[in-house]
Amino acid sequence: MKISRVVVVGSGTMGSGIAQVVAQSGYQVKMEDINDSLLSQAQQRIEKSLDKLVEKKKISAKEKEDTLSRIKPSTSLDVVKDADLIIEAVPEKPDLKAGIFEQVDKLAPSHAILASNTSSLPITAIAAVTKRPEQVVGMHFMNPVPVMKGVELIRGRVTSQETIDLAVEFVRSINKIPGVAQDYAGFISSRIFNAYLNEAAYTVMNGNTPKDVDDIMVNSINVPMGPCAAMDLVGIDTIVYILEILEDEFGPRFKAAPLLKQMMRAGHLGRKSGRGFYEY
Ligand SMILES: NC(=O)c1ccc[n+]([C@@H]2O[C@H](COP(=O)([O-])OP(=O)(O)OC[C@H]3O[C@@H](n4cnc5c(N)ncnc54)[C@H](O)[C@@H]3O)[C@@H](O)[C@H]2O)c1
């Protein structure tokens, strides 16, 4: 099987970035969301991101136009009817994702691979709502998608080797670096990263300032961005949701730091709300 037609379900932060990088590599992409206004916002984000690449002379103006022309927006899931690969990037809510996978499974051709961009939910559970669990795989892109090189592929308990091989080949074809992880909540990247972020929140709770925590981690451990700045970027609520899924799978060692829950109750969610560990 050769993947040539790709559908991205959900055109938010991640979905629009995924549609962009896939189209940049020459694939025809259909981008689906619940209304036209969200789709036009996604198209604007993609155009802005491509403009930056043109400014930096990483792509030509023609490549930008060609990429945009390969992305077709839609508000109907019917677009999956002739797709080879469907990448789901809707919010991290298990019931919502299950509903989408059930519908996509009914509509998509029998050869199509169904991928989820979930950051933490076990793929085996998502696959179980379909009649083709061996063709379901985790395809975890990182934020911001056009910049980050790695894509974590998650092998569900019944994902076939053929599906993994096709996913690896596809990720390489869009100039990203695949890595395969086993299917336990949070996989490799989210599990290790969120444990680290949670511990950083405890250091702030213990009386350190976010700036001191970040400066020490940047200058002494050589991380490119301090953990408090990283938490503000990802969103405090998102981190709490992921920690809850990890706690459910692995127990109390993943219990969210009380400070994170307090910040969430106050609406201090990070960059998106104007205040988190820092003010914006
Ligand atoms: N934001 C990150 O840093 C990040 C990183 C890696 C993975 N992820 C994962 O990617 C997924 C998407 O996250 P995001 O940050 O892009 O979220 P987002 O909220 O920015 O975008 C989600 C999009 O899905 C759309 N949507 C909701 N219900 C839908 C439906 N029924 N059909 C079609 N579209 C629907 C929304 O309208 C929205 O445009 C989540 O599973 C998240 O855990 C996020």
Side-chain angles (χ1 to χ4, degrees), residues 9-15 32-34 38 88-92 96-97 100 117-119 140-143 234:
V9 181
S11 69
T13 312
M14 297 303 291
E32 197 266 345
D33 209 310
I34 47 183
L38 289 163
E88 165 278 313
V90 304
E92 193 77 338
L96 176 63
K97 290 199 192 271
I100 301 265
N117 187 51
T118 177
S119 357
H140 183 201
F141 287 83
M142 307 290 147
N143 185 12
V234 175

Side-chain angles (χ1 to χ4, degrees), residues 46-59:
I46 295 171
E47 187 157 6
K48 229 168 123 185
S49 168
L50 291 169
D51 278 338
K52 276 194 209 149
L53 295 175
V54 173
E55 264 168 45
K56 289 185 192 156
K57 300 204 179 341
K58 292 199 170 160
I59 61 168

Side-chain angles (χ1 to χ4, degrees), residues 163-176:
T163 299
I164 293 288
D165 292 344
L166 282 165
V168 164
E169 196 185 317
F170 172 75
V171 169
R172 289 202 179 117
S173 78
I174 56 168
N175 299 310
K176 301 280 183 200

Side-chain angles (χ1 to χ4, degrees), residues 74-145:
S74 173
T75 53
S76 165
L77 257 192
D78 280 352
V79 286
V80 306
K81 277 182 176 161
D82 63 353
D84 305 310
L85 170 68
I86 295 106
I87 307 173
E88 165 278 313
V90 304
E92 193 77 338
K93 294 182 185 157
D95 292 347
L96 176 63
K97 290 199 192 271
I100 301 265
F101 270 78
E102 247 168 0
Q103 284 185 67
V104 169
D105 185 37
K106 286 193 187 113
L107 294 167
S110 61
H111 72 272
I113 290 178
L114 317 188
S116 174
N117 187 51
T118 177
S119 357
S120 58
L121 296 164
I123 292 302
T124 306
I126 295 175
V129 306
T130 74
K131 294 196 169 65
R132 60 178 101 190
E134 66 290 344
Q135 284 162 245
V136 178
V137 65
M139 197 175 275
H140 183 201
F141 287 83
M142 307 290 147
N143 185 12
V145 183

